[in-house]
Each structure stands twice: as C-alpha cells, then as structure tokens.
Amino acid sequence: MTERLEANDAGIARAADLLRAGGLVAFGTETVYGLGADATNDTAVARIFAAKERPRFNPLISHFPDAEAAFTEAMPNDLARRLAERFWPGPLTLVLPRQPGGTISDLAAAGLPSVAVRVPRGAVTAALLRATGRPVAAPSANLSGKVSPSDAYHVMRGLNGRIDAVLDSGPCQVGVESTVLDLTGTAPMLLRPGGVTIEALAEICGPISHPDDYADTLPVSPGRMESHYAPSLPVRLDAQEVGTDEALLAFGPELPGAGLVWNLSPSGTVDEAAARLFAGLRFLDSEGARRGLTRIAAMPIPRAGLGLAIRDRLRRAASPRPA
Ligand code: TXA
Ligand code: MG
C-alpha cells in the first residue's frame, strides 16, 4: 500500500521518518515528482531502481535543502558557487567532484568520482529535505522509460503499491526536469537542457554549447538516444499537417483536422507549454489509444528558453524504442 500524505507538518514528518528508515517516498519538486530515498543508504537506493524497473544503475541526483548542505557532499569551484547563488533554490543540477568523506552511497553515484547535486525550490520540498537531514536521491517518480510525473496522481498511476508514500504538494510549476550542468571539466558542459534556460546560464557561465547544435548529428544508438518519456503511441515531430487518425500536441494556433488535440499553449508561450507537457503526453496517449488513433503528432516548438528542454523530451519520446 502506498500512503498519500498531505503537504502539512504531519505529512512532512511522516515522509521524513519513512525516508530515514530506508523507505521510498515520492515528493513534488518545482520540476517533476521525484522518487526519493536516503542517498547514503545503498539498500534504500537499490529499492529506487527496483521500483522503477530501471535496468541499469544510472547515477542519481541528490537533493538538499540549501547550498551549504549540498557542498558538504560536492566540491564547489568558484563558478559552482556563483551558479548556486543565482539559481538555487531552483531547477539546476550541478555535477561536481565528490567531497572526500562524503556520505552519498556508491550506488547513488554509480561509482563515479563526481556527484550530481540540486537544491529544489518550494517550501514543502525544503521542509522535507531539512527534516530528513540527509541527502535524498530522487529520479523522476515513474516507471523507467515512461512519461515523467507532474502531479501526485501521475505518480500513483505508475507506482501505487511499489513505494511507501507520496507527499502530495500539488502540480509541479516548471514541468520539465532540472538542467544538468557538468562542472568537472575545463569548460561547463550541458548534459541535459531543463528548467533553467541556457540563456540564463550564459549570463553567468558565458556561452554554452546549444544542445540542438549536436543532437541531430549524433548517431541514434541505444546509449545516446535512449528511448525515454515514451508514451505507448509513436510520436511524430515537427508536424506541419495532421491526419484524423492522429492525436495532436499543439503549440500556438492548432493545425486543423486532428482526431484529438491537447494544446500546450494556445498563446505560444514556452513556459506554459513546459508545465503542460507531461500531462498532455499522458492524455493524448491514453485517450488517443482508446479512440483507436495511430500516432501523436507534435507541432514544432521554438528553440529558445524552455523550448530547448521541451524539444529534448519530445525527441526522446519519438526515438526508437528498445525491443
Ligand atoms: O528535475 C529533476 O532533476 C528531477 C527531480 C525529481 O529533481 N530528477 C531527475 O533525476 O530528473 P534523474 O535521476 O531522472 O536524472 C539524473 C540525471 C541523468 O541525466 C544522469 O545521467 C545525470 O543526472 N547525472 C547524475 N549524476 C551524474 C554524474 N555524476 N555525472 C553525470 N551525470 C550525472
Ligand atoms: Mg526520468
């Protein structure tokens, strides 16, 4: 049985107790719901991979209530401190060298000499992390390869009975995962576009290579273009027209003729589109399949601001599926 906990003092205290005891607790962040476990406890972290049916032990992001706590586990350089000052709490994950004597389990770090750390935004999330008093490892709270959850109901649809509790803090405001920036090399490297835009990062880091510059030229190999965020219906990108047998993921004025429509943002605003992306994919997938539609057709999304993160998630949703 999975407990649904209210986002009040009692719910937060219960969630923290479960985490400290090695349990699995999903919780809302400003990006998506995370599936949390005590990042210092190998057994608890292993349960994350089992609950998600994640085939490989990918490194996980550890979550902290503030930068000071994060930097007890990750060694900051000057740039990391400036980025933390500007963007934390918020949807930015920094990959940094592990602190000697750090407590994050090797399983959470996948045996790497680096760790990914993040300080999410939101009073409930901060209270939970503070009450837990340990780094909390948390990938998105969905079955591996499926669409990420942007509310507690989505979490329950995929993980009910597999996890101890979900702390329901309502729908996520940003709607796409955090931006992951690797600071272990000579120049900052963008590993995943997300909730902090590269335009905003560039104000502090200088120019960062644009993910769309290389995404289309990479070979489509399983490791590189892992099918992810995948609905059960196939996804077609950059649709210029749409058929009656297709479900349309619209952006701005809708193409006419679709069998079903979810408009990410009628006014063509990428922030609004990001917040509605995962709920829209879920809706078009379940309702489209029920109506016998054959595919999801996605209209083009601008290559700016949160549009980059949306394009990245859609590209993955459309990429070949593992057999
Ligand atoms: O918004 C988010 O980041 C959400 C919420 C729950 O906080 N979490 C999330 O976690 O998306 P996850 O585990 O799905 O994504 C982890 C990402 C992966 O792309 C992983 O490869 C990268 O972070 N990562 C983690 N540790 C790393 C490391 N040491 N070096 C390089 N990449 C790392
Ligand atoms: Mg995920």
Side-chain angles (χ1 to χ4, degrees):
M1 255 299 288
T2 297
E3 296 174 42
R4 185 186 157 280
L5 303 172
E6 302 273 350
N8 54 27
D9 289 351
I12 291 166
R14 171 77 182 145
D17 284 347
L18 286 168
L19 286 171
R20 293 173 61 84
L24 294 184
V25 178
F27 61 98
T29 76
E30 79 281 42
T31 59
V32 298
Y33 272 70
L35 177 51
D38 176 352
T40 69
N41 177 338
D42 263 321
T43 313
V45 173
R47 292 186 62 209
I48 292 181
F49 292 99
K52 282 181 66 89
E53 296 179 15
R54 202 180 239 199
R56 291 183 295 114
F57 293 103
N58 300 331
L60 301 177
I61 298 171
S62 289
H63 298 68
F64 300 86
D66 51 48
E68 193 188 339
F71 292 152
T72 62
E73 297 288 343
M75 217 184 307
N77 54 21
D78 183 53
L79 181 57
R81 289 186 194 283
R82 280 185 289 138
L83 288 164
E85 179 72 26
R86 170 76 175 76
F87 295 110
W88 282 352
L92 176 65
T93 294
L94 298 178
V95 175
L96 292 166
R98 291 167 84 163
Q99 285 282 12
T103 61
I104 290 174
S105 85
D106 278 334
L107 190 52
L112 296 169
S114 56
V115 279
V117 296
R118 137 163 161 79
V119 176
R121 190 157 62 209
V124 173
T125 319
L128 172 66
L129 295 170
R130 199 153 275 129
T132 305
R134 298 176 194 166
V136 174
S140 53
N142 52 274
L143 291 171
S144 183
K146 301 287 195 219
V147 177
S148 298
S150 53
D151 67 28
Y153 174 75
H154 297 157
V155 176
M156 283 299 218
R157 283 287 295 261
L159 297 176
N160 193 6
R162 293 170 167 259
I163 63 176
D164 297 296
V166 55
L167 179 62
D168 187 351
S169 53
C172 302
Q173 302 296 309
V174 176
V176 289
E177 291 87 346
S178 62
T179 301
V180 180
L181 190 68
D182 185 346
L183 297 181
T184 60
T186 48
M189 192 162 85
L190 187 75
L191 299 182
R192 177 176 75 184
V196 168
T197 65
I198 60 169
E199 293 91 335
L201 284 178
E203 288 172 20
I204 303 217
C205 298
I208 296 180
S209 70
H210 193 299
D212 275 14
D213 291 346
Y214 52 82
D216 297 334
T217 64
L218 291 177
V220 182
S221 71
R224 279 234 169 100
M225 280 290 268
E226 230 167 327
S227 167
H228 211 103
Y229 311 98
S232 58
L233 291 180
V235 177
R236 180 166 76 85
L237 300 179
D238 294 324
Q240 305 292 342
E241 81 302 315
V242 63
T244 52
D245 62 331
E246 293 181 310
L248 180 69
L249 189 68
F251 179 84
E254 289 157 22
L255 294 170
L260 179 69
V261 178
W262 175 279
N263 200 323
L264 290 170
S265 172
S267 63
T269 310
V270 284
D271 289 22
E272 181 185 28
R276 290 169 51 75
L277 175 66
F278 291 136
L281 283 174
R282 283 166 181 271
F283 168 74
L284 293 180
D285 196 31
S286 58
E287 184 59 18
R290 202 181 64 79
R291 296 186 190 191
L293 303 183
T294 56
R295 192 175 314 109
I296 295 172
M299 289 175 64
I301 306 291
R303 294 170 178 241
L306 289 188
L308 285 185
I310 299 171
R311 292 172 59 87
D312 171 78
R313 304 311 184 264
L314 288 176
R315 204 157 40 223
R316 291 174 196 243
S319 77
R321 316 283 166 86

